């Protein structure tokens, strides 16, 4: 069939040209909207500026075809072969390109918004400044493709292959890159804010200057990656691998990175305001200084010498465990949730609810903290809903008093590496005592919880510092014992004159001081 015959039949209303052979034909500017050219041979055809909107080109051969400026909006090109085709400025919005071959195709400034490219092969394709907003590129092969300056906002690139691709200065905000292959990819100065990169392989990738604010990189692999000057504020970096990565002057303000592996990484100049320093792997990490200022303007600098950074970053987060010698009941669970919600309104040190482990005989509440110095004051507050609150608080007050007395007697308090100091522990406790009084007087949920049998059960309160050292703040003498008449036990516990129930068994001075010396932001010797 000749070009003239095809155009004549199309003008007469014929749309089905399935399997037609028009190799090397000139259809430049042709108006063929809705035409069926499935299985057609259109290799080396000139379709520049042609209107092929809603056309069916599935399984068609369009290798080395010229389609620059063509209108392929909503066209069907599933399994079509467009290798080395010229699609510069072509309109492929909402087109179906499932399984299509676009190897080394030219798609500069092409519009592929909402296009379906599931499992398409775009190896070494040129997509500079192309628009792929909300496009489906799941399982697509874009290895060594050039997408520099492209717009891929909200695109789905889950499990796609983008190894060694150029995505520099792209807009990938809100994109799905879960489990995507991005080894040695160039993502410098790329906008990845809010993107899902969980589980992605970014080994040796270049992310220098990239915007990764609020991005999810949990479980991602960034070994050997370059992130110089990148912005990871509020990013989820839980269990992310940064082995030997370059994080120089990276912005990590309010990032969550528990379990992150920073082995051998470079972190000099990182901005770490409101970011936890615990739960990290830091062996061999290089870090000369960090910026702790709220605005990341270097107004608060923490310098390190030799191995000092090891004391600043640590694998063990400080925790408080309340072990209750009773199984948790639904009523108590509800009451305690309300109690801790109300406590958090008054006491800002309680940033998140406790994790809970409920067994048949015992219940464990674990509070994770951002700093060692918060252990004593937070424990003083979080025990409030329980009957053992009075005895626990007395123990904590006496232990802090022991620490302060020892420091005064020996006059050996050194300058510290953080704003908090041993002397400030007493101030924090005094503040906690004042807040505890206010909470007890104003918050009815505390009173409701305290009346429940579960909250009257014996408890153990165990503090763990960032050096993984433990200190028992309170151990009820009846903990682990079973009584026929529990109500009698509770009555004796309320009686402040009862000898056994109110016995304050404190740790020794050496135990308390060793525990405090294990704080990674306090330097003390005696």
């Amino acid at each position: 069939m000749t070009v003239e015959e095809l155009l004549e039949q199309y003008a007469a209303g014929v749309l089905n040209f399935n399997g037609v052979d028009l190799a090397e034909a000139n259809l430049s500017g042709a108006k063929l909207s809705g035409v069926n050219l499935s299985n057609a041979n259109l290799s080396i055809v000139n379709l520049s500026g042609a209107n092929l909107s809603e056309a069916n080109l599935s399984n068609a051969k369009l290798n080395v075809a010229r389609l620059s400026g063509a209108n392929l909006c909503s066209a069907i090109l599933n399994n079509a072969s467009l290798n080395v085709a010229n699609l510069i400025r072509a309109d492929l919005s909402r087109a179906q390109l499932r399984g299509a071959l676009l190897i080394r195709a030219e798609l500069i400034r092409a519009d592929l918004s909402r296009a379906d490219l599931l499992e398409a092969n775009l190896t070494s394709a040129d997509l500079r400044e192309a628009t792929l907003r909300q496009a489906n590129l799941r399982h697509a092969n874009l290895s060594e493709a050039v997408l520099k300056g492209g717009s891929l906002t909200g695109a789905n690139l889950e499990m796609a292959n983008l190894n060694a691709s150029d995505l520099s200065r792209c807009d990938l905000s809100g994109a799905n890159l879960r489990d995507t292959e991005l080894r040695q990819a160039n993502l410098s100065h790329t906008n990845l804010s809010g993107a899902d990169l969980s589980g992605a392989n970014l080994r040796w990738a270049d992310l220098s200057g990239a915007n990764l604010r609020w991005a999810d990189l949990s479980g991602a692999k960034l070994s050997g990656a370059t992130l110089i000057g990148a912005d990871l504020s509020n990013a989820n970096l839980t269990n992310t691998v940064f082995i030997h990565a370059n994080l120089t002057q990276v912005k990590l303000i309010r990032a969550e990175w528990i379990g992150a592996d920073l082995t051998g990484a470079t972190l000099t100049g990182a901005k770490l305001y409101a970011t936890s320093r615990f739960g990290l792997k830091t062996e061999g990490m290089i870090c000369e200084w960090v910026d702790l200022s709220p605005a990341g303007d270097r107004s608060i600098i923490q310098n390190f010498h030799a191995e000092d950074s090891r004391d600043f970053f640590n694998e063990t987060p400080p925790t408080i465990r309340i072990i209750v010698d009773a199984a948790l009941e639904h009523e108590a669970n509800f009451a305690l949730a309300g109690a801790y919600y109300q406590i958090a309104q008054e006491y800002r040190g309680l940033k998140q609810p406790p994790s809970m482990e409920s067994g048949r005989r015992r219940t464990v509440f674990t509070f994770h903290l951002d700093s060692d110095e918060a252990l004593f004051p937070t424990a003083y507050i979080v025990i409030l809903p329980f009957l053992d609150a009075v005895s626990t608080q007395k123990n904590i007050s006496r232990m802090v008093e022991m620490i302060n007395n020892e420091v005064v007697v020996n006059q050996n308090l050194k300058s510290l590496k953080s704003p908090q100091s041993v002397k400030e522990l007493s101030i924090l406790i005094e503040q906690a005592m004042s807040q505890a009084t206010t909470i007890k007087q104003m918050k009815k949920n505390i009173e409701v919880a305290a009346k429940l049998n579960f909250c009257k059960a014996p408890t153990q309160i165990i503090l763990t510092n960032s050096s993984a050292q433990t200190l028992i703040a309170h151990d009820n003498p009846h903990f682990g014992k079973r009584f026929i008449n529990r109500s009698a036990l509770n009555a004796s516990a309320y009686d402040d004159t009862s000898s056994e129930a109110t016995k304050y068994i404190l740790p020794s001075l050496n135990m308390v001081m060793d525990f405090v010396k294990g704080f990674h932001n306090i330097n003390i010797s005696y």
Side-chain angles (χ1 to χ4, degrees), residues 202-219:
L202 288 146
R203 291 186 176 98
W204 307 105
D206 183 359
L207 288 145
S208 54
N211 180 357
L212 288 148
R213 292 172 62 87
W214 296 99
D216 185 355
L217 285 143
S218 57

Side-chain angles (χ1 to χ4, degrees), residues 139-150:
H139 283 291
N141 187 352
L142 288 143
S143 60
E144 299 183 14
V146 180
L147 295 107
K148 185 176 182 177

Side-chain angles (χ1 to χ4, degrees), residues 36-282:
N36 180 5
L37 290 164
S38 57
N39 300 296
N41 181 7
L42 299 165
S43 297
I44 323 179
V45 165
N46 184 359
L47 284 157
S48 299
N51 184 354
L52 290 157
S53 60
E54 299 183 4
N56 185 352
L57 290 150
S58 55
N59 298 298
K61 292 181 180 178
L62 288 144
N63 297 318
V64 203
R66 293 172 62 187
L67 290 144
S68 56
N71 182 357
L72 289 151
C73 178
S74 299
I76 301 170
L77 291 135
N78 293 332
N79 299 308
S81 182
L82 293 130
N83 296 325
V84 203
N86 181 345
L87 288 146
I88 295 172
R89 295 180 183 272
D91 184 355
L92 287 148
S93 57
R94 300 180 186 274
Q96 294 182 38
L97 291 140
R98 291 193 166 210
L101 299 175
L102 290 142
I103 299 168
R104 294 175 58 202
E106 292 182 278
L107 289 143
I108 300 168
R109 296 189 181 180
D111 186 356
L112 291 121
S113 300
R114 298 180 184 273
D116 188 352
L117 292 132
L118 177 74
E119 297 181 348
N121 190 342
L122 292 113
T123 303
S124 300
D126 191 344
L127 289 135
R128 281 175 291 169
E129 298 181 33
T131 301
L132 293 109
R133 295 190 187 97
Q134 298 182 47
N136 180 17
L137 290 148
R138 194 169 187 268
H139 283 291
N141 187 352
L142 288 143
S143 60
E144 299 183 14
V146 180
L147 295 107
K148 185 176 182 177
S151 177
L152 293 97
T153 56
N156 183 0
L157 291 136
E158 185 176 4
M159 292 183 278
N161 181 357
L162 287 148
N163 290 336
S165 60
D166 185 354
L167 290 150
S168 58
R169 300 187 183 278
C170 276
D171 188 351
L172 280 152
S173 55
N176 179 2
L177 292 141
R178 189 165 50 240
D179 297 318
T180 300
E181 286 288 329
L182 287 152
R183 280 179 295 128
Q184 296 182 306
N186 183 357
L187 291 147
S188 62
H189 301 284
T190 295
N191 183 1
L192 287 152
S193 58
D196 185 353
L197 287 144
S198 56
N201 183 359
L202 288 146
R203 291 186 176 98
W204 307 105
D206 183 359
L207 288 145
S208 54
N211 180 357
L212 288 148
R213 292 172 62 87
W214 296 99
D216 185 355
L217 285 143
S218 57
K221 304 167 188 68
L222 289 104
S223 299
T226 301
L227 293 106
I228 298 172
D231 188 349
L232 288 126
S233 301
N234 296 291
N236 181 1
L237 306 172
T238 307
N239 297 320
T240 304
V241 178
F242 290 105
I243 297 173
H244 294 294
N246 189 342
L247 293 144
T248 302
Q249 296 191 34
V250 70
K251 197 171 185 178
L252 286 157
I253 293 174
R254 292 188 177 88
E256 175 58 60
W257 59 351
I258 294 292
D261 191 344
L262 292 154
T263 304
T266 301
L267 205 67
T268 298
K271 305 176 193 303
L272 293 170
Y273 176 74
T275 301
S276 173
R277 308 191 303 270
F278 304 103
L280 306 169
K281 296 179 182 177
T282 59

